[in-house]
């Protein structure tokens, strides 16, 4: 008899999976500052672009010209900067290129502005060096007379008079219209906003022709500084309305809601909350409108006319302005009159800067921006409030207020009615 032993199953083989290492994360870059590698990449790309462009202009291609050289340097710099930044990923390349383009445009615009201002002052330096340029008019000076004869006093007085008339008309109408657009929504306000936006691109010659047809021809009045000021107000009004409308929209709605919750009406809220909160921005809007009107020439030429004599009366006879003086004198072949024209343009730039400083002073600081004295006063009041809240209140056993005395008297009357005896 044979016995069979049962077959023993072989143990199963267990395959242990090896742990898979997670993919390596790219190194994090700090967004708050620049590393040393960033500076090396920036200045190295700039040096390489300058060297490459110089080699192309002088050795390889027959190219010339300062503008073309600068443009080639900038394009080469963009290419090299993108090539160097490629190791950090496509996002870093796009970020750096966008930053370079934005900063390049800002530097270009600033350089053009500085070049224009310096060029005007440099060309008019010979006229500005004489004191008579600010104290005399051109009634006794001709194209061949030296610069120590005659000046731009008549144009300075005319410019200030006309812009004062224009601001007197523009500021009340412009601010009232901006408040209306923001506080009274509806179809009519949308129509007014559309007309204002269309008038923003109105050519100055059309404004001058309109006022000339209405005031000079229609009313039969002579050319004067008043007509020129009214024409300038037509140019300034849409600029002021648009800028003031944008500024008034930025006032937080919570301030208006708090005023309404305290019981104030709409117009009192506008007068005491909205306008004071937007005072700084409204001053900037006035400056933008004044800068548009103070440099116009064609409305003054049509509605006032040019004269070399000082005229202090804006209601009767022609009155010159600084832009009109520069436009008239620069057409003469005399270099002396050209110097006077550039001197008038330089004085005009100075007046615009003076108006800007005056508006900044009147407008003050923006909402929430306090002076040092106001900050100290606020801190002192806060400390006084803190001491008052921490001060222990005096304890008293008897009634201390009028209401408590009145309640006690009523309780006594209920217990002991007058004229009766207690039960």
């Amino acid at each position: 008899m044979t016995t069979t032993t049962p077959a023993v199953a072989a143990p199963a083989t267990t395959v242990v999976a090896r742990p898979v290492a997670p993919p390596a994360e790219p190194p994090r870059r700090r967004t708050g500052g620049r590393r040393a590698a960033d500076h090396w990449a920036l200045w190295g790309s700039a040096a390489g672009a300058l060297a490459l462009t110089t080699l192309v202009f002088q050795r390889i291609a027959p190219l010339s010209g300062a503008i073309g050289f600068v443009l080639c340097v900038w394009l080469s710099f963009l290419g090299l900067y993108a090539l160097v930044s490629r190791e950090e990923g496509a996002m870093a390349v796009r970020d750096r290129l966008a930053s370079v383009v934005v900063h390049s445009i800002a530097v270009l615009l600033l350089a053009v502005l500085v070049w224009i201002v310096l060029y005007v002052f440099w060309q008019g330096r010979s006229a500005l060096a004489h004191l008579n340029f600010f104290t005399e008019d051109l009634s006794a000076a001709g194209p061949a007379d030296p610069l120590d004869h005659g000046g731009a006093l008549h144009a300075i007085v005319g410019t200030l008079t006309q812009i004062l008339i224009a601001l007197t008309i523009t500021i009340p109408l412009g601010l009232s219209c901006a408040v209306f657009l923001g506080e009274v929504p509806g179809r009519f306000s949308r129509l007014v906003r559309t007309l204002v936006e269309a008038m923003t691109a109105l050519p100055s010659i059309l404004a001058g022709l309109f006022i000339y047809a209405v005031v000079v021809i229609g009313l039969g009045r002579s050319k004067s500084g008043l007509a020129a000021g009214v024409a300038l107000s037509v140019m300034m009004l849409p600029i002021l309305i648009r800028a003031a409308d944008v500024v008034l929209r930025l006032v937080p709605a919570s301030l208006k809601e708090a005023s309404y919750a305290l019981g104030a009406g709409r117009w009192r809220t506008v007068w005491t909350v909205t306008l004071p909160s937007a005072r700084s921005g409204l001053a900037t809007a006035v400056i933008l409108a004044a800068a548009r009107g103070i440099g116009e020439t064609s409305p003054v030429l049509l509605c006032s006319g040019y004269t070399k004599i000082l005229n202090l009366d804006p209601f009767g006879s022609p009155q010159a302005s600084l832009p009109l003086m520069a436009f008239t004198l620069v057409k003469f072949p005399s270099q002396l009159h050209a110097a006077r024209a550039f001197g008038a343009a330089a004085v005009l730039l100075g007046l615009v800067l003076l108006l800007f400083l005056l508006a900044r002073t009147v407008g003050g600081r923006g909402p929430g921006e306090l002076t040092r004295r106001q900050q100290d006063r606020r801190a002192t009041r806060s400390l006084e409030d803190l001491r008052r809240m921490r001060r222990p209140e005096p304890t008293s056993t008897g009634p201390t207020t009028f209401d408590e005395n009145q309640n006690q008297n009523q309780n006594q009357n209920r217990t002991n009615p007058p004229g009766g005896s207690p039960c």
Side-chain angles (χ1 to χ4, degrees):
M1 181 176 181
T2 60
T3 59
T4 58
T5 59
V8 180
T13 304
T14 303
V15 179
V16 180
R18 295 182 179 180
V20 180
E25 296 182 357
R28 295 186 178 182
R29 301 180 69 250
R30 292 185 306 153
T31 58
R34 287 185 175 272
R35 303 172 300 171
D38 298 335
H39 292 283
W40 282 110
L42 177 65
W43 296 111
S45 301
L50 181 60
L52 179 61
T53 306
T54 304
L55 179 63
V56 170
F57 268 65
Q58 293 185 359
R59 299 293 182 181
I60 300 177
L63 301 177
S64 62
I67 298 179
F69 183 83
V70 173
L71 183 60
C72 290
V73 169
W74 186 70
L75 293 177
S76 303
F77 169 71
L78 290 181
L80 293 177
Y81 198 41
L83 186 62
V84 171
S85 306
R86 189 180 59 180
E87 297 180 356
E88 299 187 13
M91 184 178 296
V93 173
R94 290 193 297 267
D95 176 70
R96 289 184 175 184
L97 289 182
S99 178
V100 167
V101 171
V102 170
H103 285 82
S104 300
I105 294 175
V107 171
L108 177 62
L109 294 179
L110 182 61
V112 170
L113 177 62
V114 172
W115 180 78
I116 291 175
V117 173
L118 293 181
Y119 179 80
V120 170
F121 276 93
W122 180 258
Q123 293 294 330
R125 69 188 187 282
S126 56
L128 296 175
H130 298 84
L131 183 61
N132 58 281
F133 186 78
F134 304 96
T135 58
E136 299 178 5
D137 56 13
L138 284 178
S139 57
D145 292 329
L147 295 176
D148 55 356
H149 292 76
L153 179 62
H154 62 298
I156 297 174
V157 173
T159 298
L160 294 178
T161 304
Q162 294 166 13
I163 200 64
L164 181 61
I165 294 174
L167 288 176
T168 304
I169 299 173
T170 304
I171 291 178
L173 293 179
L175 295 183
S176 301
C177 185
V179 170
F180 168 76
L181 294 178
E183 299 294 331
V184 187
R187 293 183 178 180
F188 186 68
S189 62
R190 289 195 296 268
L191 176 62
V192 173
R193 182 176 284 109
T194 303
L195 293 177
V196 169
E197 292 177 356
M199 288 183 61
T200 305
L202 180 69
S204 59
I205 188 67
L206 294 183
L209 288 174
F210 172 73
I211 299 300
Y212 179 79
V214 173
V215 177
V216 179
I217 298 179
L219 300 180
R221 301 185 61 90
S222 61
K223 292 184 176 182
S224 60
L226 176 62
V230 175
L232 293 180
S233 66
V234 175
M235 298 299 304
M236 296 163 53
L237 191 59
I239 304 297
L240 179 59
I241 294 174
R242 283 291 306 277
D245 184 25
V246 172
V247 170
L248 293 177
R249 287 184 182 183
L250 297 178
V251 177
S254 58
L255 296 179
K256 302 179 184 179
E257 294 172 358
S259 178
Y260 294 148
L262 293 175
R266 172 183 292 178
W267 300 114
R268 186 168 183 82
T269 300
V270 170
W271 185 256
T272 58
V273 176
T274 306
L275 293 180
S277 300
R279 183 177 58 180
S280 179
L282 294 178
T284 304
V286 172
I287 281 300
L288 291 176
R292 172 66 187 274
I294 202 173
E296 292 293 341
T297 303
S298 54
V300 182
L301 180 61
L302 290 173
C303 301
S304 176
Y306 179 72
T307 179
K308 300 190 298 182
I309 303 173
L310 176 63
N311 180 20
L312 299 177
D313 183 16
F315 302 98
S317 55
Q319 192 178 48
S321 65
L322 287 171
L324 185 57
M325 176 183 174
F327 173 76
T328 304
L329 297 184
V330 80
K331 296 185 296 183
F332 285 85
S334 174
Q335 295 295 329
L336 300 175
H337 265 6
R340 293 187 177 98
F342 279 103
V347 173
L348 182 63
L349 292 177
L351 285 178
V352 172
L353 178 61
L354 182 62
L355 288 175
F356 177 78
L357 296 178
L358 180 61
R360 288 290 91 190
T361 303
V362 173
R365 298 173 180 265
E369 298 181 7
L370 304 179
T371 61
R372 181 62 61 85
R373 181 178 299 178
Q374 292 173 342
Q375 293 176 1
D376 296 341
R377 190 182 307 166
R378 183 179 63 177
T380 302
R381 291 180 179 177
S382 299
L383 291 177
E384 292 177 357
D385 293 339
L386 182 62
R387 296 192 192 98
R388 179 176 53 83
M389 288 184 293
R390 288 181 176 179
R391 188 181 306 162
E393 297 182 0
T395 58
S396 59
T397 57
T400 57
T401 61
F402 175 77
D403 294 336
E404 294 178 353
N405 292 329
Q406 189 175 6
N407 293 333
Q408 186 177 12
N409 293 332
Q410 291 178 357
N411 295 330
Q412 291 178 357
N413 292 332
R414 292 195 188 102
T415 306
N416 300 322
S421 59
C423 298

